[in-house]
Amino acid sequence: MTMSDDLMGAIITALVTGIISLIGFVVTNVSMKKNFKNELIKQRDGIALEKMATMPFEVLDLMDRMMEAKGGRNAKQELDNFKRIMNEIYSYGSEKAISLVAFMQKENYASNGDPNKMNRFRVMASYVLLATQIKYDVTGIHVNPEFWFKMRITDYEINRNEIREANNRLVQELNLNKKMKIGTLK
């Protein structure tokens, strides 16, 4: 028994069509998996970005309020705010931001919560660097922390060397981006 040419052509056509359909299915499946994974990453990053977008402001605002509270009635409330911010940064922040918060908490533990045992310039620098790091994480824009000190510290020029030393030491200790260092006087 021999197959007719028409039957042989129909079988070959069916096989080729089936193979092309199978290849198309595999390619579509792989592509959909990749797109789904990319969409999940995009959503995850979007949530983190949304959660961290206002955090630089919140960190600096908290620092201002904590400096005003200094053991007063509002100190407990500000400590609770600090804990909330720590949790949010740990949940959604970058590794560098988390390392800054961990450092700040380590310093708090070392001083037993006594602000008199802490270097005030180092404390300020840690808050400013945290806000600066988060701003970079959210926007991709590097801003030198010196701008904040110039805007907010009335005796900045008098204390510039101590502030620069505290800031730059933290940048080095925590292996932060060198753009966060405050330069020397010219």
Side-chain angles (χ1 to χ4, degrees):
M1 277 213 239
T2 63
M3 277 196 238
S4 71
D5 289 339
D6 289 339
L7 184 59
M8 185 67 88
I11 291 173
I12 291 174
T13 302
L15 282 173
V16 169
T17 303
I19 290 171
I20 290 173
S21 294
L22 186 61
I23 291 171
F25 175 75
V26 170
V27 168
T28 301
N29 193 16
V30 169
S31 176
M32 284 179 62
K33 277 184 180 179
K34 185 177 180 182
N35 287 342
F36 183 71
K37 186 177 179 182
N38 288 342
E39 189 61 33
L40 284 176
I41 290 169
K42 205 160 74 170
Q43 283 183 354
R44 179 200 65 202
D45 291 348
I47 290 170
L49 182 65
E50 182 181 317
K51 291 286 189 180
M52 297 305 289
T54 61
M55 197 55 64
F57 172 79
E58 289 183 45
V59 166
L60 295 174
D61 189 48
L62 175 66
M63 180 180 70
D64 289 342
R65 291 191 322 265
M66 288 181 90
M67 291 172 77
E68 290 172 12
K70 286 192 181 175
R73 291 186 329 208
N74 294 338
K76 167 79 170 100
Q77 181 181 350
E78 299 310 337
L79 181 60
D80 290 343
N81 287 334
F82 180 71
K83 288 177 184 177
R84 181 189 57 76
I85 286 174
M86 272 193 331
N87 289 338
E88 201 159 324
I89 290 171
Y90 186 80
S91 298
Y92 302 104
S94 69
E95 186 177 348
K96 295 288 186 187
I98 293 168
S99 73
L100 272 157
V101 171
F103 162 78
M104 291 166 73
Q105 193 61 3
K106 183 180 124 197
E107 294 273 304
N108 283 338
Y109 291 148
S111 70
N112 289 324
D114 183 357
N116 297 324
K117 292 181 181 177
M118 301 172 91
N119 176 327
R120 72 183 178 114
F121 297 124
R122 190 169 166 93
V123 171
M124 277 193 294
S126 65
Y127 277 91
V128 174
L129 284 169
L130 178 59
T132 302
Q133 179 64 50
I134 295 170
K135 177 181 175 67
Y136 173 73
D137 295 341
V138 171
T139 66
I141 298 171
H142 278 287
V143 176
N144 193 289
E146 185 172 27
F147 290 124
W148 185 89
F149 290 109
K150 285 180 177 180
M151 288 184 334
R152 297 297 308 273
I153 306 298
T154 56
D155 57 352
Y156 174 70
E157 290 304 322
I158 295 168
N159 294 302
R160 185 180 190 282
N161 288 333
E162 291 90 346
I163 292 169
R164 183 178 58 81
E165 174 64 29
N167 183 85
N168 292 354
R169 183 171 290 160
L170 285 175
V171 170
Q172 187 172 347
E173 285 175 22
L174 299 173
N175 198 27
L176 301 175
N177 191 306
K178 306 256 184 281
K179 290 181 180 182
M180 291 186 184
K181 284 190 171 185
I182 297 174
T184 57
L185 290 173
K186 296 194 171 39

